[in-house]
Amino acid sequence: MKNLLFALSLLHCFVVEAQDKPTFSIEQLKEDFEVFQGSLEDSHPGLYWYRNKAEMDQVFQSGKDGLTQPMTERQFYRILSSALSKVGCGHTYISLSKQTTESEMVAFLPFQVQFEDGKAFFIKSYGDPIAGISPGNRLTRMNGAFMDSIYAGCIDMLSGDGFTETGKLNMLNAHFWYTYTELFGAPNTYEIQFLNDDLKEETISVPAMPKEEMYAHYFENDQPEEAKRNVILTFDNGIATLMIKAFFGWKEGLTKTRIEKKFKETFRQIEENGADQLIIDLRGNGGGRVPWVLYSYFVNESFLFANNADLIFSKSSDYYSHQKLPNMKWIKRKWWHTWFPGSSKMSHVDSTRYAMTGLYMTKPYKPKGSQFEGEVFILIDGFSFSAASDFAAMMKSSGLATIIGEESGGGYYGNTSMGKSFVTLPHSKLELAIPLVRHQLNVDPDRNPFGRGVIPDHEVLPSVEDVLNGKDRQMEWTLNFIQNGSN
């Protein structure tokens, strides 16, 4: 429990929180922790997937041992976040109360930070240039805390599948401005120490950027119609490149595109073009639905995408009254409503756990037309998660592709996801999201370490220098590998 104790020690390092916030008593904190722990134990089907019950009991006990004094909401939030990260489920998360989110998540760090080997580097500002600091300068401290301590604390309190950390790293690099505020509060000013171009330490003061201005800089609100597409196919010198940004359909103007239909069109185009080498770019793909449809274009016989899927459901749980399950009327309009107790496709494993057979991923699927039989190369990174990592895992397990990049953020063996139950803790009003269904992929366990994401056949990691120069090292490496057979 060294990581958890380290995270708790960080409580004394961050003092940006306002002094007039509501404080919860030890009794209230313990009552909330009991609901937090009990809800996970009674409802999370993957709670003991990566750590056994004795190990998780120790995690929970360490969290409770830290409740020795009254705390603010954020202090309690950090303790729960650290404990939750040990579950090893990237679809499970806890959120600040709605009141805190609306009243305090109102200003942010106005520049991008890139972490490499635990070190932090300034990349760019989100608004006007910040005087005195240059892209690539290493950050050493922020508001009195060393950046390596902030990094370690964030990694300990972010959740990911299994024992992976690439997803956490990618999340920090993309959203550090938000993650820092969420975990440690929103100061009006950031005191930044950094090493200048001459490697001498300097200090600058950077005002926080208001939420509306930050969002305007960070999010692209006026995207061209083609940028909304989640599936993009290009050809170059006999090589087809298929970028899949998400496993969802999309809408351009009034036209809706179903991803299943787009895959069919895509592989027809690949066949007509005669390309015999295909790069599938799954970097940044956080998942979605029907990854087995894409997989069906690479196999020649019927297949199971998942060996089994299960859920836990019990109205007799002491914590059931704290849960908000998906709207049942909405569920009945969906094909997956049969997941819930009473379905003919579900069977009892024990008094509260249900197994699903012949449903969703656990039913046999047939190959599609326009089978691709050439060489396949898949690019992945820490943002390749959920359905994206499921597809990459199945392709790796079957030996159908060469995997390039960095370990996926999603687990090789599957994940716990789909619909969620939401639990509001009675005093702090923190909200815990618990995914309902665990599916275990039909993968060869000998082809990848347990508890890890999809491990690439060729690890190619982007650097801070690549980000600064706009260089796509992984794509360049892949094209060179295809053309020359080596890197």
Side-chain angles (χ1 to χ4, degrees):
M1 294 297 100
K2 291 182 179 179
N3 288 340
L4 180 55
L5 293 176
F6 172 75
L8 296 179
S9 71
L10 288 176
L11 295 174
H12 304 290
C13 300
F14 299 95
V15 292
V16 299
E17 293 154 308
Q19 298 301 310
D20 57 351
K21 288 185 181 178
T23 298
F24 301 103
S25 68
I26 296 175
E27 181 180 357
Q28 289 174 319
L29 296 172
K30 288 183 176 180
E31 288 177 3
D32 274 16
F33 197 98
E34 180 186 348
V35 174
F36 166 80
Q37 179 181 345
S39 297
L40 288 169
E41 291 174 335
D42 287 1
S43 302
H44 197 298
L47 182 61
Y48 305 122
W49 198 353
Y50 299 109
R51 288 179 170 86
N52 60 36
K53 188 176 186 306
E55 291 172 318
M56 284 308 304
D57 286 346
Q58 186 178 1
V59 167
F60 291 135
Q61 188 59 52
S62 295
K64 286 185 283 191
D65 288 346
L67 305 178
T68 58
Q69 58 187 15
M71 293 182 179
T72 64
E73 179 183 330
R74 253 195 191 86
Q75 289 172 326
F76 186 46
Y77 173 69
R78 291 197 290 262
I79 286 183
L80 297 188
S81 296
S82 184
L84 195 62
S85 72
K86 310 307 182 292
V87 175
C89 178
H91 289 87
T92 306
Y93 57 87
I94 192 161
S95 304
L96 293 168
S97 68
K98 183 177 180 180
Q99 178 181 350
T100 295
T101 301
E102 292 179 348
S103 63
E104 297 178 20
M105 302 288 286
V106 295
F108 302 94
L109 180 74
F111 59 81
Q112 181 182 352
V113 176
Q114 183 87 6
F115 289 94
E116 185 175 284
D117 297 327
K119 300 180 178 66
F121 298 87
F122 175 85
I123 300 298
K124 65 178 182 180
S125 63
Y126 289 122
D128 295 331
I130 298 173
I133 190 169
S134 303
N137 286 163
R138 180 184 168 190
L139 309 177
T140 56
R141 282 181 288 179
M142 187 162 68
N143 290 344
F146 287 100
M147 290 303 297
D148 56 355
S149 295
I150 294 175
Y151 171 79
C154 288
I155 290 295
D156 183 73
M157 287 180 273
L158 292 174
S159 291
D161 280 0
F163 309 120
T164 63
E165 291 196 351
T166 51
K168 301 178 184 183
L169 175 59
N170 276 253
M171 183 65 69
L172 275 185
N173 287 339
H175 309 297
F176 179 73
W177 59 274
Y178 190 91
T179 301
Y180 179 89
T181 300
E182 186 177 46
L183 289 171
F184 306 121
N188 295 322
T189 303
Y190 292 88
E191 296 294 328
I192 306 294
Q193 279 79 44
F194 66 97
L195 301 180
N196 64 20
D197 295 341
D198 297 322
L199 300 183
K200 294 181 179 179
E201 189 166 72
E202 292 188 27
T203 300
I204 57 174
S205 181
V206 182
M209 180 176 286
K211 177 180 178 178
E212 293 76 13
E213 185 180 350
M214 183 69 192
Y215 278 28
H217 285 295
Y218 188 79
F219 297 106
E220 298 180 51
N221 295 320
D222 299 318
Q223 292 181 315
E225 289 294 292
E226 57 270 20
K228 299 176 182 178
R229 299 169 188 169
N230 287 332
V231 179
I232 301 172
L233 177 66
T234 57
F235 296 95
D236 186 25
N237 295 324
I239 301 172
T241 299
L242 177 60
M243 176 186 290
I244 306 175
K245 296 189 289 186
F247 279 84
F248 287 114
W250 64 94
K251 187 176 181 179
E252 295 181 55
L254 299 177
T255 304
K256 293 182 179 180
T257 300
R258 293 179 68 246
I259 196 165
E260 299 94 322
K261 183 177 180 180
K262 189 62 180 180
F263 283 151
K264 182 178 181 179
E265 176 188 333
T266 294
F267 283 91
R268 178 184 55 78
Q269 291 175 333
I270 292 173
E271 184 178 46
E272 291 175 352
N273 187 274
D276 56 7
Q277 291 164 319
L278 172 63
I279 299 171
I280 302 177
D281 189 350
L282 298 178
R283 294 173 298 173
N285 187 322
R289 51 189 298 272
V290 298
W292 56 87
V293 173
L294 181 59
Y295 183 73
S296 68
Y297 287 95
F298 300 96
V299 295
N300 296 311
E301 57 186 13
S302 296
F303 63 92
L304 283 177
F305 205 77
N307 287 321
N308 56 69
D310 57 347
L311 64 84
I312 296 177
F313 185 86
S314 174
K315 287 188 176 181
S316 63
S317 167
D318 291 339
Y319 309 99
Y320 178 78
S321 62
H322 296 281
Q323 297 187 44
K324 181 181 179 182
L325 289 163
N327 183 280
M328 298 303 290
K329 290 183 179 179
W330 180 80
I331 289 169
K332 289 178 180 179
R333 292 199 298 269
K334 301 291 181 179
W335 52 264
W336 54 274
H337 75 276
T338 53
W339 285 1
F340 284 83
S343 165
S344 60
K345 295 181 179 180
M346 297 183 60
S347 59
H348 275 286
V349 175
D350 53 38
S351 60
T352 61
R353 187 177 292 268
Y354 295 79
M356 288 156 283
T357 56
L359 176 69
Y360 180 49
M361 292 186 181
T362 60
K363 72 176 184 180
Y365 289 94
K366 295 180 180 180
K368 297 290 185 180
S370 302
Q371 298 299 118
F372 184 81
E373 298 181 351
E375 290 184 286
V376 182
F377 305 87
I378 298 177
L379 301 184
I380 58 173
D381 64 7
F383 270 136
S384 302
F385 185 66
S386 197
S389 58
D390 285 349
F391 170 75
M394 289 293 287
M395 293 292 283
K396 176 177 181 176
S397 175
S398 303
L400 293 171
T402 299
I403 312 295
I404 299 166
E406 63 180 335
E407 180 181 359
S408 67
Y412 172 80
Y413 290 83
N415 61 66
T416 307
S417 57
M418 301 312 293
K420 288 184 174 66
S421 165
F422 292 94
V423 178
T424 300
L425 303 186
H427 300 293
S428 64
K429 304 304 179 183
L430 296 173
E431 187 173 71
L432 171 65
I434 303 176
L436 298 177
V437 180
R438 176 179 66 160
H439 67 264
Q440 300 181 62
L441 294 174
N442 182 25
V443 291
D444 182 352
D446 294 330
R447 296 185 70 96
N448 206 85
F450 175 73
R452 300 289 297 276
V454 180
I455 303 296
D457 300 304
H458 302 281
E459 185 179 59
V460 183
L461 303 178
S463 66
V464 169
E465 184 179 354
D466 293 336
V467 174
L468 293 172
N469 295 327
K471 178 179 179 179
D472 189 344
R473 178 188 298 270
Q474 293 161 334
M475 183 61 79
E476 289 181 8
W477 192 99
T478 302
L479 292 171
N480 186 62
F481 183 83
I482 291 173
Q483 294 163 0
N484 302 314
S486 67
N487 62 337

